[in-house]
């Protein structure tokens, strides 16, 4: 359902259906505003919007699968990326629709993985999730408002070594 408001001497329309990006436009007359809103809703019902990829029907696993098929073969580190993809594909959050994904899901994934592996591994996995979602937004027409991983803190890596020089070694 569209929201139509009078703002000054013009009419502002907002159409925000679930699973599609919000659309808005301003018109001089209320008749034009209502006609445009009806037309946009009809297009969305028919699935003919600029971002026809509905977020409630696509899961994170679908994006990962597409990334694995289209992007990974082109990478120099394809072997390592394939290994990471196999590991993150088994996560429970991959089965969730994109419109349900929140930063808290990735934070709980991070915390669970930190109990199993070192922080650098978790950073690599979260970065892979982020690359996949960003690519989907920019090139595949997925209409996510923003990347939920931008709000997730990365683990701190403490790889410092404490080594003493042996006799005969230079500083």
């Amino acid at each position: 359902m569209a929201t139509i408001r009078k703002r000054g001497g013009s009419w502002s329309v907002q159409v925000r259906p679930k699973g599609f990006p919000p659309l808005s436009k301003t018109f001089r007359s209320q008749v034009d505003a209502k006609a445009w809103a009806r037309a946009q809703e009809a297009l969305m019902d028919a699935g003919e919007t600029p971002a026809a990829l509905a977020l409630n029907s696509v899961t994170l696993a679908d994006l990962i699968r597409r990334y694995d098929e289209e992007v990974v073969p082109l990478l120099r580190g394809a072997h390592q990326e394939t290994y990471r993809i196999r590991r993150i594909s088994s996560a429970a959050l991959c089965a969730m629709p994109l419109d349900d994904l929140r930063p808290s899901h990735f934070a709980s994934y991070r915390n669970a993985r930190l109990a199993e592996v070192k922080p650098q591994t978790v950073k690599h996995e979260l970065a892979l999730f982020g690359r996949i979602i960003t690519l989907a937004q920019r090139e595949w027409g997925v209409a996510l408002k923003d990347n939920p991983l931008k709000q997730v803190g990365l683990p701190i890596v403490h790889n410092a070594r404490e080594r003493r020089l042996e006799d005969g070694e230079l500083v």
Side-chain angles (χ1 to χ4, degrees), residues 3-7 10-14 24-27 33:
T3 303
I4 301 173
R5 296 182 185 148
K6 183 165 179 150
R7 297 194 159 236
S10 60
W11 293 87
S12 175
V13 181
Q14 287 184 330
S24 61
K25 198 165 180 178
T26 305
F27 297 90

Side-chain angles (χ1 to χ4, degrees), residues 37-156:
R38 279 193 305 273
Q40 295 306 311
E41 289 173 344
L43 283 175
M44 289 179 188
D45 290 340
E48 299 175 359
T49 64
L53 195 54
L55 297 180
N56 58 1
S57 64
V58 178
T59 64
L60 185 55
D62 295 333
L63 297 183
I64 292 170
R65 197 173 307 109
R66 183 172 177 186
Y67 180 82
D68 189 28
E69 293 169 359
E70 295 179 12
V71 178
V72 171
L74 306 174
L75 299 176
R76 286 190 317 177
H79 178 70
Q80 292 86 354
E81 200 81 346
T82 301
Y83 177 79
R84 280 192 198 101
I85 285 174
R86 269 192 266 130
R87 174 59 195 104
I88 67 172
S89 296
S90 63
L93 64 98
C94 290
M96 298 178 69
L98 292 179
D99 61 347
D100 292 341
L101 280 178
R102 303 284 178 260
S104 60
H105 296 117
F106 289 101
S108 60
Y109 172 83
R110 176 199 60 206
N111 296 339
R113 283 295 282 160
L114 281 172
E116 300 170 7
V117 295
K118 291 192 174 190
Q120 187 63 49
T121 303
V122 178
K123 283 181 80 166
H124 285 301
E125 291 173 359
L126 291 175
L128 178 57
F129 277 127
R131 281 194 306 274
I132 292 170
I133 292 172
T134 301
L135 179 69
Q137 288 174 311
R138 290 184 183 165
E139 296 184 14
W140 298 341
V142 176
L144 278 172
K145 186 174 181 180
D146 59 348
N147 192 334
L149 279 152
K150 288 185 178 179
Q151 299 172 12
V152 177
L154 296 176
I156 297 172

